[in-house]
Amino acid sequence: MGFTKTKFKTIKLTEGDAIFVHMVLRMYAQQTPGLDSDDKAEIKQVAAKFK
């Protein structure tokens, strides 16, 4: 079983929207029970893209 290529729609975010997504992802990584340190690090890497 391999990976399937997924095409994502590109949307433009305002600076405020990007900051909101960044903060929500970081908060999710900190407050969600059951995440290990690798999970948290990956979520924080995604969050950093919205900074």
Side-chain angles (χ1 to χ4, degrees), residues 18 21-22 25 42-51:
V21 172
H22 173 80
L25 286 171
E42 285 185 41
I43 293 167
K44 288 178 181 178
Q45 285 178 347
V46 172
K49 295 179 181 183
F50 291 93
K51 206 170 182 186

Side-chain angles (χ1 to χ4, degrees), residues 11-49:
I11 60 171
K12 294 186 179 189
L13 299 176
T14 65
E15 186 176 347
D17 292 338
I19 291 169
F20 176 77
V21 172
H22 173 80
M23 297 303 294
V24 167
L25 286 171
R26 288 188 57 84
M27 190 168 51
Y28 176 81
Q30 290 174 346
Q31 296 182 1
T32 302
L35 296 177
D36 63 23
S37 59
D38 289 338
D39 293 334
K40 291 178 183 181
E42 285 185 41
I43 293 167
K44 288 178 181 178
Q45 285 178 347
V46 172
K49 295 179 181 183

